[in-house]
Amino acid sequence: MVAVTSWGRLGQFEHRLHRLSDRLQVAAQLKHDRYGLAYGMGRSYGDVCLNPGGVLWDATGLDRFIAFDEHQGRLVCEAGLQIRDVQRLCVPRGWMLPVVPGTQFVTVGGAIANDIHGKNHHQAGSFGDHVRRFSLARTDGSLSECRPGEPLFAASVGGLGLTGVITEVELQLKRVPGPWLSVETLPYRDLSEFFALADASEADWEHTVSWVDCLNGAGRGIFMRANSVDAGSDDSRMRRPSRPLSVPVVPPVSLINPLSLRPFNALYFHLKKANRTSLQHYEPFFHPLDNVLDWNRIYGPRGFFQYQCVLPRAVGQEAIRSMLKRIARSGTGSFLAVLKTFGDRHPVGMLSFAMPGVTLALDFPNQGERTLQLLAALDAIVREAGGRLYMAKDARMPVDLFESGYSRLPEFLPLRDPGISSAMSRRLMGS
Ligand SMILES: Cc1cc2nc3c(=O)[nH]c(=O)nc-3n(C[C@H](O)[C@H](O)[C@H](O)COP(=O)(O)OP(=O)(O)OC[C@H]3O[C@@H](n4cnc5c(N)ncnc54)[C@H](O)[C@@H]3O)c2cc1C
């Protein structure tokens, strides 16, 4: 047995870890093991990637490139390959993954199972929109090819690993002129300015995202928008990736607390508030947190909760205002508070998170009951607004909020693999 945790470090749980390394043998191995769950890089924050007391199929050994068509930008690879490795092979050849999350240390299989989104949802949708096919191994020993439009495809994209283990994937990449982005940074004073900037940027800017100061009642923040560019040979203004730092130990208490947060947020806003244009390499722009390895340790031994919701656009502004007020009143704040709009796109997966609207992501140090009460208050706002929470980040959402947020759940359940289960599926789906 091995103790495994997820990114939120809310606990260490014993698992039997079985490494998958031969994609052609996975179906046979699953038939033999049963009652397991695929595990990628464990970059999900809560219990979606955990199966305490049971088997975890470590998929990171499935890390081979299989074929790359440089003319059409089609990549076939194993599902345990990390996004960083895909990018490092493809970007120098003029192709890039069309959707990437805030860290590049995630596997292709994990990206499909949570149907992850990036900063360009308004133009590119989510990861599943760019998957042409995948092979899915199930615990009955079968290996099926799944393609867009098929029920097992729609169940497995955003399917939380519960429909089988993805072994091989074909992806459609996006043409890029190189690794550089032209990035504009603009401050906003309140939420209405944020929505005006988002509306004005969506047609012409491929990537948009913002940091919001959740301790400032008005909801001020910093908006960033970016487009891929051919930077030519002028590298004088370019921000390249730097060598990552690391947090070497877990401090005895969370370093994120009201005393540290208020001055941090004020300082960050004032440092960034000048309008600025810069050239940035895609790595620091898409994955700024990868520059500090093990940054999740700063929350101390009790770990932290990440809370990410999406709210319909029509009620989003009001609901976000109420959430920020509630957080400011609680005296506990979020260090990483990200606000961004999603595009008007129908999600591919039955349980995909991204839907048309606005999404807010927040981190809270785990202070036990006090934090759970705050999150329950935020749940009430999300429920009332007709929104939903992101399972990749969740460790505690109530069943009623899950069921009201994910209306295609009844379609999904019959397509689950009965030999697969996770801490999250037992908590939210009863098995
Ligand atoms: C710093 C940081 C920033 C992030 N930013 C974003 C963001 O911007 N957008 C976003 O959407 N998410 C974001 N995330 C969340 C992250 O992208 C997802 O949790 C992702 O799914 C993690 O992939 P993983 O390989 O670590 O998978 P895990 O966390 O190990 O597993 C996630 C799920 O995938 C399943 N799974 C893994 N491999 C397979 C497989 N081969 N076959 C079938 N199922 C499989 C697991 O069973 C589990 O249900 C971020 C996470 C971090 C830590």
Side-chain angles (χ1 to χ4, degrees), residues 402-423:
F402 171 58
E403 289 178 350
S404 65
Y406 290 91
S407 59
R408 294 185 72 187
L409 182 63
E411 233 181 301
F412 170 80
L413 292 175
L415 294 165
R416 272 188 66 177
D417 183 322
I420 294 183
S421 141
S422 65

Side-chain angles (χ1 to χ4, degrees), residues 7 38 40-44 48 102 107 110 113-114 116-117 160 166 390:
W7 194 247
M41 289 294 288
R43 259 24 185 216
S44 301
V48 70
T107 61
N114 275 322
I116 57 136
H117 56 271
L160 318 173
I166 300 166
Y390 191 10

Side-chain angles (χ1 to χ4, degrees), residues 31-360:
K31 189 170 183 188
H32 178 257
D33 282 348
R34 289 181 70 91
Y35 306 111
L37 178 73
Y39 186 81
M41 289 294 288
R43 259 24 185 216
S44 301
Y45 287 71
D47 57 0
V48 70
C49 59
L50 298 176
N51 183 26
V55 172
L56 279 185
W57 294 303
D58 173 2
T60 56
L62 302 174
D63 60 354
R64 293 165 195 84
F65 290 99
I66 299 170
F68 182 35
D69 176 340
E70 284 199 40
H71 297 290
Q72 304 207 63
R74 298 212 176 129
L75 174 75
V76 184
C77 66
E78 291 185 343
L81 196 62
Q82 286 181 44
I83 277 180
R84 180 191 54 175
D85 299 326
V86 174
Q87 297 284 68
R88 288 189 176 176
L89 175 88
C90 299
V91 174
R93 291 167 173 80
W95 295 97
M96 189 179 263
L97 282 165
V99 172
V100 290
T103 172
Q104 53 183 340
F105 302 123
V106 307
T107 61
V108 169
I112 296 175
N114 275 322
D115 194 15
I116 57 136
H117 56 271
K119 297 173 174 57
N120 56 352
H121 183 271
H122 56 283
Q123 293 199 359
S126 55
F127 199 87
D129 282 295
H130 308 279
V131 176
R132 293 176 52 84
R133 65 170 174 89
F134 52 78
S135 308
L136 187 73
R138 310 238 310 168
T139 61
D140 59 5
S142 64
L143 184 68
S144 347
E145 282 277 287
C146 301
R147 293 174 189 277
E150 295 172 1
L152 206 47
F153 184 93
S156 305
V157 171
L160 318 173
L162 298 173
T163 60
V165 175
I166 300 166
T167 57
E168 179 182 320
V169 182
E170 182 178 340
L171 298 167
Q172 178 62 56
L173 307 179
K174 182 190 73 163
R175 264 256 179 249
V176 281
W180 301 103
L181 295 146
S182 171
V183 182
E184 260 188 43
T185 308
L186 307 154
Y188 57 88
R189 278 170 304 186
D190 55 32
L191 289 178
S192 36
E193 278 191 19
F194 162 79
F195 279 97
L197 271 172
D199 287 342
S201 307
E202 280 179 4
D204 297 332
W205 294 86
E206 197 182 343
H207 305 281
T208 63
V209 69
S210 87
W211 167 82
V212 58
D213 180 352
C214 65
L215 292 179
N216 168 273
R220 70 178 176 185
I222 306 291
F223 190 90
M224 277 158 281
R225 54 191 188 187
N227 279 326
S228 290
V229 285
D230 180 354
S233 55
D234 170 21
D235 63 0
S236 55
R237 289 178 306 144
M238 292 177 185
R239 220 186 112 201
R240 293 170 183 280
S242 44
R243 277 169 66 91
L245 306 167
S246 77
V247 179
V249 289
V250 180
V253 291
S254 171
L255 300 181
I256 305 299
N257 55 52
L259 283 181
S260 61
L261 208 57
R262 200 169 287 280
F264 168 83
N265 278 11
L267 183 69
Y268 187 82
F269 182 78
H270 288 291
L271 283 178
K272 298 268 180 178
K273 75 180 178 195
N275 287 10
R276 219 161 54 95
T277 306
S278 60
L279 272 181
Q280 287 189 27
H281 190 272
Y282 73 87
E283 285 189 13
F285 179 75
F286 290 145
H287 318 292
L289 292 170
D290 287 353
N291 241 357
V292 185
L293 301 176
D294 298 319
W295 62 261
N296 54 345
R297 290 179 170 170
I298 59 175
Y299 288 94
R302 298 180 75 185
F304 67 106
F305 289 96
Q306 160 117 170
Y307 190 90
Q308 184 169 0
C309 61
V310 56
L311 306 155
R313 192 70 175 256
V315 289
Q317 186 165 331
E318 214 28 65
I320 291 199
R321 185 168 293 122
S322 309
M323 292 173 86
L324 293 181
K325 273 197 190 141
R326 183 66 187 77
I327 294 164
R329 240 192 9 250
S330 75
T332 172
S334 172
F335 166 55
L336 296 163
V338 176
L339 184 60
K340 123 146 224 80
T341 47
F342 282 153
D344 223 350
R345 299 177 68 111
H346 189 66
V348 182
M350 293 174 184
L351 300 187
S352 290
F353 165 69
M355 67 176 199
V358 55
T359 181
L360 176 67

Side-chain angles (χ1 to χ4, degrees), residues 392-407:
K393 312 286 177 83
D394 180 60
R396 38 62 56 200
M397 98 170 81
V399 173
D400 75 296
L401 186 56
F402 171 58
E403 289 178 350
S404 65
Y406 290 91
S407 59

